[in-house]
Amino acid sequence: MARDDFPMDVVMGGLLDRHVFLLTLPSAFSNFPPHEITESDFTDDQKNDPKRSGFAFYQKHKDEDGSLKINVSVQVIVLGDIGRSPRMQYHALSIANNGGRVDLIGYLDPSVDINPEVKAHRMINIIPIPVFPFQATSKLSFLILAPLKIAFQIQALYHALGYRTKASKWMLVQNPPSIPTLFVAQIICFLRSTKLVIDWHNFGYSILALRLGPEHILVKISQWYEGCFAKSATAHFAVTNAMCRVLKEKWNIDALPLHDRPANHLRPLKEDERVTFLRTRPELEGQPFDLHDRSWRLIVSSTSWTPDEDFSIMLDALVRYATIRKREKALPRIWAVITGKGPLQAYYKSKIQQYVQEGNLNDTIFSTAWLSTADYARLLGSADLGISLHTSSSGVDLPMKVVDMFGTGLPVAGWGQFEAWPELVKEGENGRGFGSGEELCGILQELFGEKDKGRQLRRLKDGALRESERRWDDEWMPVAGQLFGFAPERHG
């Protein structure tokens, strides 16, 4: 559903529903009877694509009367754009592929692709919520608009969870953002007898501190709020072991580590697949090199163009590299592709253009791109090195973009100056860490130079290929699958 398709009462704030709320409350969840699906619930297109739509699961597990009884139901909540939340989409797919019913609730940006398997699956129902129509452009406007935005989000999220979806057995919430998500989630779970699970990607207060400073009173309040409304959840997942430790120490929360792993559409490419894809890229039209030749290197950085990803580090490294290459002609040319959208994109694009005009990026092809899910996977599979600029506001979260890169067998160089980094990247085995633009430039020289004839890069590539064998479902089933009732309990 596009944003223009929202009913007027939803777009304008749901005035009617607020009055109805005074007289009614959402229905509570009951274990009986289970939700049922029959063959008539599947369209012809879904039947023709049985694995992706869930029709194959239905055919295998249906009862003699032709119905499939769904005993596990989960509301998966992203108070953000669903297309930019791959981990929550993977959760939804894993639940649905194991026979659970999913309501996936969040924003829909028409310019951002949702995983095609999510859109095709009969057991996943996407519930869009309206976006607050104003953007803060300064610290002052942020402080003025924040209360209005929170009130708007409370109404939109409460309406979606309480009235636009059926009561579910479980609610899985992405955190952050914690305000107002955890507050609304707790209310709905209480009213509907639903069990709350929080999936910790980072800490909301640490992200707020990037904008306001760690000592700001609102950051202190946010930290208290986050711990207060999280403690009573039924269960918790966290993306790193380090985050589990901090949750225990800070709020006495016992979280289960559930590391990010790549989905199946992210896979290594063969050489002919790589060349075929690169031939479709407009940036390379008219370039005087052969795609089979290794006299150039493709590096890719996936970024949200936010303050916790300092793109100036990569710019500094590439300017240094271009300067060194003027005297060391054996160094290959670089084609740098930056994917993603975000608030600082326009600023950095103007900086890139300035460097190009001043001649500081000679023989460097620099391009930004916003790609479909399939083309993004092909781009990673075609690259020589991935670059991660994620600096971590908390020090204990990890960039999922690195997981995507490993899924395609792409080695990574990334900002490694935070505690959780070694949980993902093994130095010298599947990637390299850096702490400045100068260090990143040195890594590019080592990996792309002629001194060791590419041995270091091949070693990292082999390590990334080994890492690509570890997949999301392998990590998800013994942790989340067991919690939701899809996997037998572990013993010992």
Side-chain angles (χ1 to χ4, degrees):
M1 181 184 292
R3 291 177 186 163
D4 293 341
D5 296 331
F6 284 112
M8 184 59 67
D9 65 320
V10 176
V11 176
M12 299 305 295
L15 297 178
L16 176 62
D17 295 303
R18 283 200 291 270
H19 287 92
V20 172
F21 169 65
L22 298 176
L23 303 175
T24 66
L25 291 173
S27 61
F29 174 75
S30 172
N31 287 316
F32 305 100
H35 182 76
E36 291 189 353
I37 287 181
T38 64
E39 185 168 347
S40 62
D41 290 313
F42 293 89
T43 65
D44 289 339
D45 287 342
Q46 289 170 334
K47 292 177 181 178
N48 291 332
D49 194 0
K51 186 174 181 180
R52 290 172 65 185
S53 68
F55 186 63
F57 184 92
Y58 160 78
Q59 287 181 308
K60 183 177 180 180
H61 297 278
K62 65 182 178 181
D63 292 338
E64 292 182 0
D65 62 358
S67 65
L68 174 66
K69 292 178 174 60
I70 306 298
N71 294 304
V72 178
S73 53
V74 186
Q75 290 176 313
V76 178
I77 303 169
V78 180
L79 195 60
D81 182 62
I82 294 174
R84 293 187 177 93
S85 304
R87 179 177 167 101
M88 303 310 284
Q89 293 184 70
Y90 297 168
H91 274 299
L93 271 175
S94 294
I95 295 165
N97 286 338
N98 284 282
R101 176 173 63 84
V102 178
D103 289 320
L104 180 56
I105 300 155
Y107 302 145
L108 287 185
D109 185 337
S111 68
V112 181
D113 276 352
I114 292 179
N115 189 313
E117 294 184 41
V118 171
K119 292 193 292 185
H121 211 293
R122 171 62 185 82
M123 301 198 195
I124 299 177
N125 184 28
I126 298 175
I127 310 294
I129 55 177
V131 180
F132 186 63
F134 306 107
Q135 282 285 348
T137 56
S138 66
K139 189 174 182 178
L140 177 62
S141 64
F142 172 78
L143 294 173
I144 294 172
L145 290 175
L148 299 176
K149 182 177 181 180
I150 291 170
F152 181 93
Q153 290 176 324
I154 288 174
Q155 184 280 321
L157 193 55
Y158 184 90
H159 179 241
L161 294 176
Y163 297 96
R164 295 173 63 201
T165 57
K166 294 180 180 180
S168 63
K169 183 175 182 178
W170 299 92
M171 181 184 293
L172 178 61
V173 175
Q174 172 184 290
N175 187 75
S178 55
I179 301 175
T181 317
L182 298 183
F183 168 70
V184 177
Q186 290 282 12
I187 291 176
I188 292 294
C189 286
F190 173 77
L191 294 175
R192 306 193 93 172
S193 302
T194 295
K195 298 177 181 180
L196 176 62
V197 181
I198 300 175
D199 190 29
W200 293 84
H201 297 200
N202 203 343
F203 300 125
Y205 75 87
S206 70
I207 294 177
L208 184 62
L210 291 176
R211 181 187 287 267
L212 300 179
E215 300 304 318
H216 197 283
I217 184 62
L218 292 181
V219 175
K220 300 294 186 182
I221 293 173
S222 174
Q223 182 174 348
W224 169 85
Y225 162 94
E226 197 164 6
C228 178
F229 282 94
K231 287 180 181 178
S232 58
T234 300
H236 303 261
F237 304 136
V239 295
T240 65
N241 296 323
M243 187 173 290
C244 290
R245 177 187 57 76
V246 172
L247 286 168
K248 181 65 175 178
E249 293 175 353
K250 185 179 291 291
W251 295 310
N252 198 31
I253 288 174
D254 292 309
L256 300 170
L258 180 55
H259 291 87
D260 285 322
R261 298 290 179 228
N264 291 332
H265 71 280
L266 294 154
R267 62 177 182 83
L269 295 185
K270 298 176 182 177
E271 179 63 18
D272 59 335
E273 293 176 311
R274 175 182 178 274
V275 171
T276 298
F277 171 73
L278 292 178
R279 282 177 177 158
T280 69
R281 299 307 305 162
E283 300 91 341
L284 295 182
E285 289 184 7
Q287 291 295 331
F289 51 69
D290 190 324
L291 291 178
H292 294 278
D293 188 9
R294 305 313 299 151
S295 62
W296 62 284
R297 292 291 186 269
L298 169 58
I299 63 175
V300 176
S301 181
S302 305
T303 177
S304 300
W305 301 99
T306 52
D308 65 343
E309 295 177 301
D310 189 354
F311 189 71
S312 64
I313 295 172
M314 183 170 171
L315 268 180
D316 177 43
L318 291 177
V319 168
R320 290 173 181 272
Y321 183 91
T323 301
I324 294 170
R325 190 177 177 275
K326 290 178 181 179
R327 61 176 184 270
E328 296 184 18
K329 298 299 184 181
L331 285 174
R333 293 178 61 186
I334 284 182
W335 172 28
V337 180
I338 317 301
T339 72
K341 290 182 178 180
L344 297 179
Q345 183 177 12
Y347 168 77
Y348 279 116
K349 287 182 74 172
S350 66
K351 292 287 290 183
I352 293 168
Q353 186 62 33
Q354 177 185 339
Y355 283 138
V356 170
Q357 291 175 348
E358 293 173 353
N360 294 322
L361 287 171
N362 287 338
D363 284 337
T364 303
I365 306 172
F366 222 117
S367 56
T368 57
W370 183 251
L371 303 171
S372 67
T373 300
D375 278 353
Y376 171 65
R378 294 187 189 102
L379 176 66
L380 295 183
S382 301
D384 297 289
L385 185 68
I387 307 293
S388 171
L389 302 169
H390 180 81
T391 55
S392 180
S393 63
S394 64
V396 293
D397 71 313
L398 286 171
M400 192 167 185
K401 294 296 189 292
V402 173
V403 178
D404 293 344
M405 292 169 182
F406 283 158
T408 65
L410 178 63
V412 174
W415 178 270
Q417 308 301 301
F418 57 98
E419 179 184 348
W421 177 252
E423 286 189 39
L424 182 61
V425 175
K426 304 298 184 290
E427 184 70 24
E429 293 183 21
N430 53 26
R432 298 282 301 274
F434 58 82
S436 66
E438 183 178 4
E439 288 183 16
L440 176 55
C441 177
I443 289 171
L444 296 179
Q445 289 178 259
E446 288 180 35
L447 298 183
F448 298 159
E450 292 294 322
K451 290 184 179 179
D452 72 342
K453 302 187 182 301
R455 284 189 291 269
Q456 287 192 64
L457 186 59
R458 285 195 298 272
R459 187 183 311 119
L460 297 184
K461 177 73 173 178
D462 290 341
L465 287 170
R466 288 193 296 272
E467 194 70 24
S468 74
E469 297 173 1
R470 306 175 66 184
R471 292 288 156 172
W472 169 258
D473 285 335
D474 300 326
E475 187 81 14
W476 186 88
M477 183 54 77
V479 181
Q482 177 185 315
L483 178 69
F484 294 135
F486 296 119
E489 289 192 13
R490 294 172 292 179
H491 299 280

